[in-house]
């Protein structure tokens, strides 16, 4: 039982780290305006409305990579072949993503891809089952 709980925790942590790394790359390639702080929600709302496409798309890329990583890590650690651990990770990240999309003025394409990207935890799950 402890192994299963740790599997989900490790999946969430590894997914969170993946999101952080990819979004850091995105912020380096598409920096926020000079002097803007990411904890200023009003400034973030204004920025998201005018941000370049790729600045927003890097967030989607981070979701995709994190979904695969968290599905893979949680499945490997649980080591029982069940997809429930990957799905739990995906649901937790999905809830967080929906919250962020509802707080910030993201376009419809971002909502669609932001929600669909978390289904890719099942790709991570399948990769973890591959014995080759």
């Amino acid at each position: 039982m402890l192994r299963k709980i740790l599997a989900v925790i490790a999946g969430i942590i590894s997914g969170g780290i993946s999101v952080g790394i990819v979004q850091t790359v995105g912020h380096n390639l598409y920096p926020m305006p000079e002097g803007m702080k990411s904890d200023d929600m009003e400034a973030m709302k204004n920025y998201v409305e005018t941000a370049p496409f790729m600045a927003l798309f890097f967030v989607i890329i981070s979701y995709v990579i994190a979904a695969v990583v968290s599905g893979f890590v949680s499945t490997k650690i649980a080591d029982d072949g069940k997809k429930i651990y990957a799905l739990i990770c995906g649901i937790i990240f999905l809830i967080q993503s929906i919250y962020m999309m509802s707080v910030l003025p993201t376009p419809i394409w971002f909502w669609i891809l932001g929600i669909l990207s978390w289904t890719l935890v099942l790709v991570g799950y399948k990769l973890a089952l591959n014995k080759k």
Side-chain angles (χ1 to χ4, degrees), residues 4 71 74-76 78-87 125 129:
K4 309 319 182 200
S74 63
T75 302
K76 278 294 189 187
D79 197 30
D80 66 1
K82 295 180 183 175
K83 61 179 125 185
I84 187 68
Y85 317 106
L87 290 172
Y125 159 76
L129 294 179

Side-chain angles (χ1 to χ4, degrees), residues 16-38:
I17 290 170
S18 299
V19 165
I21 290 170
V22 175
Q23 288 188 15
T24 298
V25 170
H27 291 311
N28 286 328
L29 293 173
Y30 301 95
M32 292 186 284
E34 191 69 35
M36 186 180 137
K37 296 187 177 170
S38 60

Side-chain angles (χ1 to χ4, degrees), residues 2-117:
L2 182 60
R3 182 182 189 98
K4 309 319 182 200
I5 294 168
L6 291 175
V8 172
I9 292 169
I12 292 168
I13 290 170
S14 63
I17 290 170
S18 299
V19 165
I21 290 170
V22 175
Q23 288 188 15
T24 298
V25 170
H27 291 311
N28 286 328
L29 293 173
Y30 301 95
M32 292 186 284
E34 191 69 35
M36 186 180 137
K37 296 187 177 170
S38 60
D39 62 347
D40 180 352
M41 196 52 78
E42 203 55 44
M44 283 298 292
K45 287 179 183 179
N46 292 333
Y47 172 67
V48 169
E49 289 177 341
T50 60
F53 170 79
M54 282 307 295
L56 296 178
F57 196 67
F58 257 95
V59 175
I60 299 298
I61 293 168
S62 76
Y63 290 176
V64 167
I65 292 171
V68 175
V69 167
S70 66
F72 181 87
V73 168
S74 63
T75 302
K76 278 294 189 187
I77 291 175
D79 197 30
D80 66 1
K82 295 180 183 175
K83 61 179 125 185
I84 187 68
Y85 317 106
L87 290 172
I88 291 170
C89 291
I91 289 168
I92 289 169
F93 280 118
L94 175 62
I95 291 167
Q96 181 183 12
S97 298
I98 289 173
Y99 170 74
M100 289 307 297
M101 291 185 289
S102 66
V103 170
L104 296 173
T106 51
I108 189 69
W109 66 263
F110 191 95
W111 274 84
I112 293 166
L113 294 177
I115 290 170
L116 289 176
S117 63

